[in-house]
Amino acid sequence: MRNHAAVHPVILGGDAGAYSLARAFHERYGVRSTVVSVRPTPNVAHSTIIRNVVEPRLDDPAVMVELIRRLAATAPGPVMALTCVDWYVRALAEHRERLSDVAVVPYPSVGLLDRVMDKRRFSELCREIGVPHPRTEVRDGGEAVGDLDLRFPVIAKPGDNTAWRQVSFRGKAKVHLVRDRTELAALLDAAGDAGYRRPMIVQEYVPGDDSQMRIMTTYSDQAGKVRMAWGGRVLLEEHTPGTLGNAAAILTGRLAQVEADARRLVEHLGWTGFANFDVKVDPRTGVRHFLELNPRTGRSNYYLTASGLNPAAFWMADHLTGRWPLMEPREVLYRTVPGFLLDRYVHDESVRAAVRGARVVHPLKYGRDLSPRRDAWVRLAELNQVRKFAQHHPLQEPGGVPGRSGAGEPLASAERDVA
């Protein structure tokens, strides 16, 4: 007879975000999660808190549904299907009815997802309710630039992440900084030739380095009530093409204006579950521009758990127990890079002082997940960030426009909201 667990998380994807969710459930409930990935990944390999199932065809919805149902049949507790990956969020929402008898799928309806995952519609939403958002136009892959009422440089990014993931071409990245019309025309042509004919979102670039970025996460219950909002100041981001924009260091704390605007967005939408926002502060004006809403916990979701706002507790209260925990957030320094890299790239003395006094947390370093092989990989991966930053971290040119190589420039002064 199986021992009954409070919950059995089935987590799709094998990145650091997936590990962080498994860690959150283990910290709170002592349960071992199943992480399903398309290939073995070092983030979850050799973990004692994870059972890793490798399914190369996981991107096929029929395979995904059948696998979750099969796992649920032998699970030691109620199954909750989770992910930090946009296309799995949408697949789970689309096929909720085929899973509802065996698993909790804690994501919004497909209609709500479409309103935010379509970046053109998200831009329109921000304009509609007056949330600051960069000036935006849309071109399809393969389309001519035409009349573009934007100032260069601009940011160009896919409006359909699922379709973008399925194409490949030289120079492809998650987000492109485009310096002039010629570069934009070349990018649109390359995307179209590769088979991406979906929208490309073209936005005016908000100047400033990584330190101008903010992160905010909210949780709304099934009635749409916001139960949690917490964020932080990003100190460093990753800059390799495949991980561009992922936070490498966050100093968590209260962000009053960002939180207020995030609450307005999710309440206006009637959102349910987690929403994760990327925000950039314009150093010229102090305006906090919302760049996008991610319909899930982010890859850096462990900043919530470490701050005392464990995501697992919110999902459990909303979907299984009805018992909402009392949680008072605390400020922490979340980082996936060695501390000396912060000394190298963070120059604002007020921020450095706050960093020195902060409790440091690393999402992959977990004292209750003891495995010599995994521990060795985590330490090597952290040191490997030194090479990645030396190779990819951009030099800031005058006006806050990233250059093509080199170390970062000094950060702007810290906001009062975050010490």
Side-chain angles (χ1 to χ4, degrees), residues 346-368:
V346 178
H347 301 290
D348 185 276
E349 189 50 44
S350 64
V351 178
R352 290 165 69 95
V355 165
R356 283 193 292 269
R359 174 175 174 260
V360 178
V361 297
H362 190 299
L364 301 179
K365 293 181 179 179
Y366 183 29
R368 293 168 63 190

Side-chain angles (χ1 to χ4, degrees), residues 17 44 47 51 87 118 129 131 186 209 212 225 241 244 250 254 267 291 328-329 347 377 410:
V44 299
S47 169
R51 174 196 176 200
W87 48 90
D118 182 328
I129 65 173
V131 169
D209 61 12
Q212 299 304 127
K225 178 182 178 180
L244 183 66
I250 303 168
R254 188 69 64 188
E267 288 170 355
L291 305 182
E328 187 62 34
H347 301 290
W377 174 80

Side-chain angles (χ1 to χ4, degrees), residues 107-184:
Y107 296 104
S109 67
V110 172
L112 270 180
L113 290 173
D114 284 345
R115 289 193 69 184
V116 300
M117 294 178 77
D118 182 328
K119 292 181 174 60
R120 171 162 40 189
R121 295 178 70 182
F122 180 68
S123 296
E124 294 168 352
L125 172 66
C126 288
R127 284 198 303 273
E128 179 184 335
I129 65 173
V131 169
H133 183 68
R135 293 179 64 221
T136 301
E137 293 199 24
V138 179
R139 298 291 184 273
D140 290 339
E143 185 181 356
V145 174
D147 293 330
L148 192 73
D149 186 25
L150 300 177
R151 293 176 298 178
F152 284 90
V154 296
I155 293 293
K157 55 189 177 183
D160 185 334
N161 285 329
T162 301
W164 188 252
R165 180 169 171 263
Q166 295 169 352
V167 302
S168 178
F169 59 89
R170 186 185 177 110
K172 176 191 169 188
K174 286 177 63 178
V175 178
H176 292 259
L177 176 65
V178 181
R179 295 169 181 273
D180 53 41
R181 290 178 61 90
T182 301
E183 282 191 16
L184 181 57

Side-chain angles (χ1 to χ4, degrees), residues 12 106 110 155 225 255 282 285 303 409:
L12 308 184
V110 172
I155 293 293
K225 178 182 178 180
L255 299 169
D282 190 329
T285 63
Y303 93 81
E409 287 290 294

Side-chain angles (χ1 to χ4, degrees), residues 253-268:
R254 188 69 64 188
L255 299 169
Q257 186 58 55
V258 173
E259 178 180 331
D261 285 339
R263 286 176 176 270
R264 287 173 59 208
L265 278 166
V266 294
E267 288 170 355
H268 181 82

